Amino acid sequence: MNISYNWLKDLVEIDLSPPELARKLTNVGLAVEGIHEFGDDFVFDVDVTSNRGDCLSHLGVSREVAAITNYELRIANYETQKLTTENQPLVSIQDADLCQRFTARIVRNVKIAPSPEWLVKRLEAVGERSINNVADITNFVMHELGQPMHSFDLNKLAENRIVVRRARNGETIKTLDETERELDETMLAICDAEKPVAVAGVMGGLDSSITDETTDVLLEVAYFKRENIRQTSRRLKLSTEASHRFERGVDIENLVRASNRAAGLMCELAGGTAEDFADVYPTKFTPKTIESKDIQFAVKRLTGLEVEAAEILRILAALGIQLSTLNSKLFTSPSWRHDIAIEEDLVEEVARIVGYENIGEELPPAFGAGEYQPTEKRQKDLRKTLANQGFNEAISYSFIDLKHDEVFAAIPNLIGEIVEEKYVSLQDSIIEGAIRMRPSLLSGLLDAVRTNFNHQRRDIKLFELGKVFAASVKEDDLPGERELLAIVVSGNERLEGRAMPSRELDFFDAKGALETATTAINAPRLEFAAKDVKHLRKGQSAEISANGKAVGTIGRLSDEIAQNYKFKQPVFVAEVDLQTLLGEKQQTVLYQPLPVYPSVGRDVSLLVKRGVSFAEIKKAIENENFELLKKIEFVDVYEGKGIADDERSMTIRLEYRSNERTLLEEEVETVHTRILQNLETDLGAKQRF
């Protein structure tokens, strides 16, 4: 943002040299990145942060100078040019949610000509080229007062009137840069009685623009919803001086003054006559009030600065923040400051004018500094366990693209069923296009898998611990946050020095890693049950439960998603609600002596229906509570030649042992036979061998 030193001196008394003023402005938060001479003037290159849209003008910077120097502003309201028309037909607003205020003024009998030298120099100093007197006046007032405005040729507007409405899908307009642009219903358009004549807050249309033949001007000065202008600018890939200001917020109470100023200059420099003036104001501005029971104490408490109460009130008043006459504890935020809402904001205003450099260096009291958070040590153990299993930790962005919406099934109880908008969206994204807060860790992990595949790394073991987000059921509540654990495995496990040098990773590798990791943090035992999951392949997916509560899913990535990522090998993923697992009562670690007597192991292959799982077999055996049976393990499963299509062969291992004696073959055989008989009765499982 270019600011003219001489222009500032027209608005406020300045007794500081340009370098001194630059230093002062930098100290209060308006960083001056450079100064260059322009004729008899000095131009400051000011870096204005996105929350200080009020400083995108000489008036805004003058307010800062007035607060620094304690001088009065020299800015008029230009009331002499204000004319009103009751029940005017000039302007109608159809979408007041996007346009809170719109003023239109007719200036007749203008003569389009070059601008006078003083106006040309002022504009050239801040980087604007001169076009003609009317266009230059609108640019001049924008740089002076911070209010973008646009001039239409009144005689080119159908029925000589303005309609402010949402554009219709497919409507087009040729903008001033001579580019044909297609609009849609998300954009606000300034229209005449027939068609769009400007893209609201962004750029005017070529067909209604000012030319040398123009005699009557309709001057638009309006206030538009910031978010809509930002969205429109990005959709059209069109950023202008006007959109830059509207996106950051202009002063809704400054419109009449800006219109008066521009109309006065048009009458003076273009020989026009100001006539009808329409001010349509459907959404009245309500000043924000901030309560501070003791502003002096708040300044001391938050900054350590000792500032007199009178000086605090002077600084705030110079910045437009007034103390309520009815309540000495209430302050009123000015219409041009959209970033002041709480007491801490008031303290910040005082601190930056007094000087951040005056704040003493002091360490805050360290209550509990350096201590672990309640679950931090267990998370550290979890990371260590997975690393010992050959996993690498991934850290991905919390912001994702809209294309991931509805792709992955959310963990249980994250997203409310009655919520219309399930996801959390950013109004101003940090990464282009990434406006969603992730509801799942899998989007980031799968991006990491794709990156590895593209670099010819085919054997992948990754995990991530991180937060996911969802919209709250209650409108005023903060978004929901949950901490999850996700893992992904794909490719082969390298077995050097073995007869078979590699083994393909599968579902059970992911399952085993998850069980080992949760066991290491003394979480409840995980249970797995077959279930169809949106992002997983049917028949190779399961729901994960702990203490009877669903906490996640596991399985092979669906073919559709794998194809979208261009994966050419199976990828297995799991995602669990780590926050819920850590919140459960920790399992007691039991120690017992090593067995003294030998065990007897029996492997048995059972012919079962395809719908029968190992978990069902294990539960059926455990329900019998055989004293000598110490362990039940899964060994293998076979489907194919020699087995019916609706059946499969499952091999399990049973281990028998007594803590008091060496078992006899007859004892083992008796128990083993009863187990097989019960399995055949309960599950229809028949012994193959």
Side-chain angles (χ1 to χ4, degrees):
M1 176 69 188
N2 289 328
I3 295 293
S4 162
Y5 179 71
N6 288 343
W7 202 337
L8 287 178
K9 290 199 297 183
D10 289 345
L11 302 176
V12 64
E13 184 177 343
I14 299 175
D15 55 7
L16 300 170
S17 68
E20 288 174 330
L21 180 59
R23 181 176 59 81
K24 292 281 189 180
L25 289 174
T26 300
N27 288 343
V28 300
L30 296 179
V32 178
E33 298 184 337
I35 307 175
H36 67 270
E37 291 188 43
F38 184 84
D40 62 347
D41 196 1
F42 293 89
V43 179
F44 301 148
D45 180 8
V46 182
D47 181 17
V48 180
T49 55
S50 59
N51 66 315
R52 293 301 307 273
D54 62 296
C55 287
L56 292 172
S57 67
H58 287 75
L59 172 59
V61 177
S62 294
R63 290 194 188 102
E64 300 292 304
V65 176
I68 295 169
T69 61
N70 198 18
Y71 290 135
E72 293 291 330
L73 285 176
R74 295 188 291 219
I75 186 73
N77 288 325
Y78 311 107
E79 294 289 348
T80 56
Q81 295 298 324
K82 183 177 179 181
L83 299 171
T84 59
T85 301
E86 300 294 336
N87 301 319
Q88 52 79 33
L90 193 58
V91 176
S92 64
I93 300 177
Q94 295 183 3
D95 292 283
D97 58 322
L98 301 183
C99 178
Q100 283 86 29
R101 191 177 188 183
F102 193 101
T103 71
R105 184 188 301 275
I106 294 177
V107 182
R108 297 190 184 276
N109 302 319
V110 299
K111 296 179 177 60
I112 306 301
S115 296
E117 184 179 1
W118 71 265
L119 179 55
V120 173
K121 286 185 176 180
R122 278 287 164 90
L123 292 177
E124 288 180 347
V126 295
E128 292 279 0
R129 65 181 181 88
S130 176
I131 302 172
N132 57 54
N133 49 5
V134 171
D136 290 353
I137 287 168
T138 58
N139 285 330
F140 174 84
V141 177
M142 178 182 69
H143 282 280
E144 182 176 69
L145 302 181
Q147 176 61 50
M149 54 185 62
H150 184 68
S151 295
F152 298 94
D153 187 324
L154 179 64
N155 297 317
K156 294 179 181 178
L157 300 177
E159 299 182 14
N160 296 142
R161 64 188 180 94
I162 289 293
V163 179
V164 185
R165 61 170 172 81
R166 281 181 167 85
R168 301 184 180 98
N169 287 331
E171 277 190 317
T172 60
I173 181 174
K174 181 177 286 188
T175 47
L176 289 173
D177 58 358
E178 301 185 5
T179 301
E180 192 80 20
R181 301 185 186 277
E182 184 174 341
L183 309 180
D184 61 47
E185 61 184 6
T186 67
M187 304 173 185
L188 188 67
I190 310 301
C191 309
D192 58 15
E194 299 174 354
K195 62 187 181 303
V197 293
V199 183
V202 181
M203 185 177 282
L206 184 64
D207 295 340
S208 60
S209 62
I210 302 296
T211 63
D212 292 342
E213 289 74 35
T214 298
T215 57
D216 299 330
V217 172
L218 186 146
L219 177 65
E220 166 216 315
V221 187
Y223 183 94
F224 304 112
K225 186 177 180 181
R226 289 184 287 170
E227 295 82 359
N228 182 258
I229 301 302
R230 184 184 301 117
Q231 182 185 44
T232 300
S233 177
R234 291 188 176 183
R235 281 178 178 263
L236 295 177
K237 297 180 179 178
L238 179 62
S239 179
T240 62
E241 290 282 352
S243 67
H244 184 73
R245 286 166 173 78
F246 279 122
E247 287 174 19
R248 286 152 181 80
V250 298
D251 182 3
I252 195 170
E253 293 290 284
N254 191 41
L255 271 58
V256 174
R257 175 163 57 184
S259 180
N260 289 339
R261 174 64 160 155
L265 289 172
M266 287 183 187
C267 294
E268 177 185 343
L269 304 181
T273 303
E275 296 188 359
D276 296 350
F277 175 76
D279 181 5
V280 184
Y281 198 173
T283 308
K284 297 292 184 181
F285 169 74
T286 303
K288 289 183 288 188
T289 56
I290 304 102
E291 182 178 5
S292 177
K293 296 179 180 179
D294 188 340
I295 186 63
Q296 187 178 19
F297 174 75
V299 171
K300 171 66 177 175
R301 177 175 61 87
L302 294 173
T303 68
L305 292 172
E306 296 278 3
V307 186
E308 294 294 330
E311 176 64 6
I312 291 175
L313 296 180
R314 182 202 71 78
I315 291 171
L316 294 178
L319 296 172
I321 304 168
Q322 299 293 336
L323 185 65
S324 173
T325 56
L326 300 177
N327 188 335
S328 61
K329 298 178 182 179
L330 291 179
F331 291 83
T332 302
S333 177
S335 55
W336 60 84
R337 290 299 296 271
H338 304 276
D339 59 327
I340 296 179
I342 57 178
E343 184 182 54
E344 286 78 2
D345 295 330
L346 301 179
V347 173
E348 182 182 8
E349 294 302 298
V350 174
R352 66 185 185 85
I353 298 300
V354 172
Y356 290 129
E357 69 276 9
N358 295 318
I359 297 176
E361 296 182 0
E362 182 178 342
L363 289 174
F367 301 113
E371 294 181 359
Y372 281 118
Q373 295 300 311
T375 62
E376 193 171 347
K377 189 175 185 306
R378 296 174 71 191
Q379 291 184 25
K380 184 177 180 181
D381 292 339
L382 186 146
R383 288 184 168 94
K384 184 177 180 181
T385 301
L386 287 170
N388 289 340
Q389 295 184 76
F391 281 80
N392 291 305
E393 182 173 5
I395 301 176
S396 52
Y397 290 115
S398 297
F399 319 114
I400 61 174
D401 196 275
L402 294 174
K403 66 182 181 182
H404 296 296
D405 287 357
E406 304 290 346
V407 173
F408 304 103
I411 61 164
N413 304 318
L414 175 66
I415 298 176
E417 296 181 1
I418 61 173
V419 178
E420 291 185 12
E421 179 58 49
K422 300 178 181 179
Y423 308 111
V424 179
S425 300
L426 301 176
Q427 293 184 349
D428 189 7
S429 61
I430 297 173
I431 305 170
E432 185 68 28
I435 67 171
R436 284 277 192 260
M437 298 294 288
R438 63 185 181 189
S440 169
L441 300 180
L442 296 180
S443 55
L445 270 184
L446 293 179
D447 285 342
V449 171
R450 177 168 54 191
T451 300
N452 278 274
F453 284 175
N454 290 342
H455 286 80
Q456 306 304 314
R457 289 180 56 88
R458 298 291 177 183
D459 304 329
I460 304 296
K461 282 186 175 182
L462 294 175
F463 76 93
E464 181 171 7
L465 275 69
K467 288 188 176 181
V468 297
F469 308 86
S472 172
V473 175
K474 297 181 180 179
E475 186 175 348
D476 296 333
D477 283 358
L478 293 173
E481 295 184 24
R482 300 291 281 278
E483 188 149 25
L484 306 190
L485 164 67
I487 67 173
V488 57
V489 298
S490 183
N492 296 311
E493 183 176 24
R494 299 296 175 182
L495 304 171
E496 296 181 3
R498 304 288 183 89
M500 297 180 64
S502 66
R503 178 185 65 80
E504 188 174 4
L505 297 171
D506 58 21
F507 175 95
F508 297 102
D509 290 288
K511 176 176 178 289
L514 199 58
E515 289 176 314
T516 303
T518 53
T519 300
I521 60 174
N522 297 329
R525 191 182 73 173
L526 301 182
E527 298 176 355
F528 301 81
K531 184 178 181 179
D532 291 342
V533 181
K534 180 190 300 184
H535 60 276
L536 302 178
R537 179 187 272 196
K538 190 173 182 179
Q540 296 188 44
S541 60
E543 182 180 69
I544 305 172
S545 302
N547 288 339
K549 295 186 294 188
V551 294
T553 58
I554 185 172
R556 178 173 172 177
L557 199 63
S558 70
D559 294 339
E560 180 182 0
I561 297 177
Q563 187 175 5
N564 289 338
Y565 279 93
K566 298 182 180 179
F567 294 161
K568 297 181 180 180
Q569 64 188 52
V571 175
F572 298 89
V573 297
E575 188 171 40
V576 295
D577 186 349
L578 182 62
Q579 187 170 318
T580 295
L581 292 177
L582 292 173
E584 296 288 330
K585 182 180 178 181
Q586 291 193 51
Q587 302 300 296
T588 303
V589 179
L590 300 176
Y591 295 91
Q592 58 186 22
L594 293 172
V596 177
Y597 299 98
S599 63
V600 177
R602 294 286 181 87
D603 286 1
V604 57
S605 292
L606 302 171
L607 193 63
V608 297
K609 294 295 183 181
R610 287 206 176 201
V612 177
S613 66
F614 169 70
E616 292 176 290
I617 294 175
K618 183 177 181 181
K619 186 175 182 180
I621 298 174
E622 289 175 340
N623 287 341
E624 298 297 328
N625 198 23
F626 292 106
E627 182 182 354
L628 298 181
L629 182 63
K630 301 300 182 183
K631 189 182 294 185
I632 308 166
E633 293 180 329
F634 173 82
V635 177
D636 195 13
V637 65
Y638 171 74
E639 299 170 354
K641 187 176 180 181
I643 304 293
D645 292 341
D646 63 341
E647 293 182 330
R648 58 181 174 180
S649 174
M650 188 179 300
T651 302
I652 64 173
R653 178 168 297 140
L654 305 174
E655 183 178 317
Y656 304 94
R657 188 180 64 252
S658 171
N659 295 329
E660 301 172 353
R661 65 187 185 282
T662 300
L663 292 177
L664 300 175
E665 181 68 24
E666 293 78 7
E667 292 179 288
V668 174
E669 189 61 32
T670 300
V671 176
H672 190 68
T673 301
R674 284 183 58 190
I675 290 174
L676 295 180
Q677 289 173 348
N678 291 339
L679 288 176
E680 184 170 2
T681 301
D682 297 339
L683 300 175
K686 298 179 181 180
Q687 183 178 1
R688 285 186 68 210
F689 50 80

